[in-house]
Amino acid sequence: MSINITLPDGSVKSYESPVKPLQVAQDISPRLADASILAEVDGVAVDLDHEIVQDCSLMLHTFKTEQGKEVYWHSTSHLMAQAVKQLFPSVKVTIGPAIEQGFYYDFDRDTPFTDEELAQIEERMVFLSKQNLVYQRKELSKAEAVEIFKNMGEDYKLEILAEIPDTDVISTYQQGDFIDLCRGPHLLDTGKIKAIKLLKTSGAYWRGDEKNKMLHRIYGISFPSKKELEEYLEFLRQAALRDHRKLGKDLDLFSINDEVGPGLVLWHPNGAMIRHLIESYWKEEHLKHGYKLVYTPHVGRASLWETSGHLGFYKENMYSAMDVEGQDYYIKPMNCPFHMAIYNSNLRSYRELPLRLGELGTVYRYERSGVLHGLMRVRGFTQDDAHIICTPEQLDSEVEKLIVFALDMLKHFGFKEFLIYLSTQPDASVGDPKDWEVATESLRRSLEKLGLAYDVDKGGGAFYGPKIDIKIKDAIGRAWQCTTIQFDFNEPTRFNMTYIGSDNVQHRPYMIHRAILGSVERFFATLLEYHGGNLPLWLAPVQLMILPITEAQLDYARKIEEQLQMRGFRCEVDTRNEKIGYKVRDAELKKIPYMCIVGKKEEENGTVTLREHTVGDLGSMSLEAALEKLGLKS
RNA sequence: GCUCAAGUAGCUCAGCAGGUAGAGCACCUCCUUGGUAAGGAGGAGGUCAUCGGUUCGAGUCCGAUCUUGAGCUCCA
């Protein structure tokens, strides 16, 4: 009898007796064996010492793959739990999964972990990793597992066990004196974990439910080499430099003021200029794409919000009512009811559809104080909102056009990587199941037709319709949701929206609620972080700073300024009585894309010397030549 | 909202066994008129988040409130 193992490249290795993935790796190359973390046998993740007894396909994962990292970090979280239990025996362990970047483990104890304790734990982890403790898998019955964790007094593990069917086989992993309930797989031994860093602590509710006890969470990360850890820590430092809150302060773009109120943004002149440029571009593009721009009020009567349903399903996000001559008015958390009202202001014909109503609409939502975050999460923000009202026949082409429009617009701002999600019907939802089917399929068809890769978020749609979300990938890998394309089966019915078809009969239109940038605030923040504050020329609030060498060139500098302004460039003259090096440094720190240096030589020759931000001197040239250079970049 | 941490000059931060508040940068004035990332001198600027308490005396200790940060939960 021989066992044939098919490798990912299609080649087959044969063995005469049962074999472990580690041995197969060893036979391919010792380096692979050393780097391997787990194996996938016929698509099932297993430990490297799992015995293969029959023909199968085999794939080995190293730290390079997602699964490899996940297992590596998961094993490290066990190591951390072991260290914590050794140092603080009275602490109870709960759960400790791998996350996107690293891992965490939640512990139950009275006080949070201090920085000193963190260092202590880290030290113990390093000590334990050097012991090369083997992660031993054991399979047992539920009753046996309950017995073990009961003796250990690990109540949380018992709670998890209680939810597992009695007949299931339970697995535990033990390294040294530490045993944990775990499905696995895991690393072979703790020695594989070479570089460890515990990053931060925080509170976390047991099972993520705020009614439960607050546990103490420790976040950490680990790598197979010190070098990789160093690189990661450097990456974190770079991320901090790109934080839009820091850039916003450094570049004087916006502020949030205590007295004005948390989550309410003040746009300073430079930030406002960038926003103006974004919005102008947005409006132009929407007009080109057949949208009609509208403006709507910031408040509306209670009855409007009753009709729309917001007072029913969105009330906890709305500010309390204000009294106007005995009537309740609410500040708007969304723009849609107003757009619906515009639609309903006339009897509509199918000839008018699709009707695309767009607005940069400022909305106010109550956000719990703990969730506010710079411009990413605020209480007053402007959505680049639009509602597309169309006939069922127009649905596909509208969705398709919309996706293309959204991606084109995001690309224009420099973004290159996108994550696309299709969210389907949740358990609790309104609308005809047939409509859900039609709408979801329309979304899916469009994505497929455009050849876009997407993930399905099953049951992740809004209660009123399925949606497509596009998230932008940051230069440092973080994803931020911008575009959302949502079907709405709720409001057309609630507002009794209709159109007269060619058959002279009233029909209910389809309605798509969409935002491409999402909110101007969040988009602005993402844009800033993505470019690290070095905005492309067309978005720079000041595109060019004119720097006279001495005060003698002030007049010449002003003349250059005038000519540049005439040509539509945003420029300023640094008139301060400072040396050129000082002014250059200042313009560099302000991340102004270009500098125009004018001294005696330039004035005599009627030229300018151009300098590009972060690049340096571009040499002397005529103003025309300089303009041409700038024109090409804009 | 919850847990923990923090709030000192416009910015970045120091200060403490409780004894009249400090630096650098930025700002203002003067000197310097200079060639691509900081020339020099001087000056002004703070009810140490707010309110209350302990104390002869509080930026420093205690409490409450507000705000910020890291998370949890929730979302554009």
Side-chain angles (χ1 to χ4, degrees), chain A residues 251 545 547 574 576 578-592 595 597 611 613-614:
Chain A
L251 303 179
M545 188 61 97
L547 312 178
D574 188 341
R576 292 176 303 176
E578 293 291 350
K579 289 172 117 168
I580 192 64
Y582 184 90
K583 296 185 203 176
V584 165
R585 174 182 155 82
D586 206 52
E588 286 286 346
L589 290 177
K590 285 182 178 154
K591 300 180 191 289
I592 293 165
M595 279 158 258
I597 290 149
R611 179 191 164 97
H613 172 57
T614 68

Side-chain angles (χ1 to χ4, degrees), chain A residues 553-590:
Chain A
Q553 288 85 42
L554 261 182
D555 285 345
Y556 183 61
R558 287 248 154 75
K559 242 193 285 179
I560 298 290
E561 178 188 29
E562 204 175 293
Q563 291 185 53
L564 283 166
Q565 279 174 349
M566 290 290 283
R567 300 286 287 263
F569 282 98
R570 296 182 291 280
C571 56
E572 288 174 10
V573 182
D574 188 341
T575 59
R576 292 176 303 176
N577 178 13
E578 293 291 350
K579 289 172 117 168
I580 192 64
Y582 184 90
K583 296 185 203 176
V584 165
R585 174 182 155 82
D586 206 52
E588 286 286 346
L589 290 177
K590 285 182 178 154

Side-chain angles (χ1 to χ4, degrees), chain A residues 389-404:
Chain A
I389 300 142
C390 65
T391 67
E393 297 74 44
Q394 293 165 334
L395 200 56
D396 276 25
S397 94
E398 282 306 303
V399 171
E400 202 183 310
K401 270 192 248 179
L402 189 45
I403 297 169
V404 173

Side-chain angles (χ1 to χ4, degrees), chain A residues 263-395:
Chain A
L264 302 170
V265 182
L266 298 168
W267 293 78
H268 299 195
N270 284 335
M273 175 53 80
I274 300 169
R275 174 170 172 169
H276 164 74
L277 294 163
I278 294 171
E279 293 187 349
S280 301
Y281 169 74
W282 185 92
K283 286 182 185 172
E284 275 170 39
E285 286 301 308
H286 277 73
L287 291 174
K288 283 185 202 165
H289 284 77
Y291 283 75
K292 311 278 187 210
L293 300 183
V294 299
Y295 291 96
T296 63
H298 286 68
V299 296
R301 264 207 241 187
S303 60
L304 176 74
W305 304 107
E306 268 153 24
T307 302
S308 69
H310 286 92
L311 283 179
F313 62 79
Y314 207 70
K315 190 154 194 200
E316 67 275 20
N317 284 296
M318 293 170 68
Y319 291 100
S320 41
M322 60 189 96
D323 178 275
V324 180
E325 294 180 341
Q327 304 232 14
D328 279 351
Y329 280 70
Y330 288 88
I331 193 153
K332 66 175 170 183
M334 291 190 191
N335 303 299
C336 25
F338 298 94
H339 291 194
M340 304 303 97
I342 290 174
Y343 181 88
N344 279 349
S345 68
N346 260 314
L347 190 61
R348 301 291 178 178
S349 151
Y350 73 98
R351 293 175 193 279
E352 291 177 75
L353 304 183
L355 187 63
R356 310 182 189 94
L357 300 177
E359 176 183 17
L360 291 160
T362 304
V363 298
Y364 292 85
R365 295 182 186 173
Y366 167 67
E367 297 285 353
R368 301 163 111 200
S369 55
V371 307
L372 301 175
H373 179 89
L375 297 184
M376 294 293 188
R377 207 52 197 281
V378 291
R379 285 183 173 155
F381 60 98
T382 300
Q383 292 184 303
D384 69 313
D385 211 353
H387 295 89
I388 298 173
I389 300 142
C390 65
T391 67
E393 297 74 44
Q394 293 165 334
L395 200 56

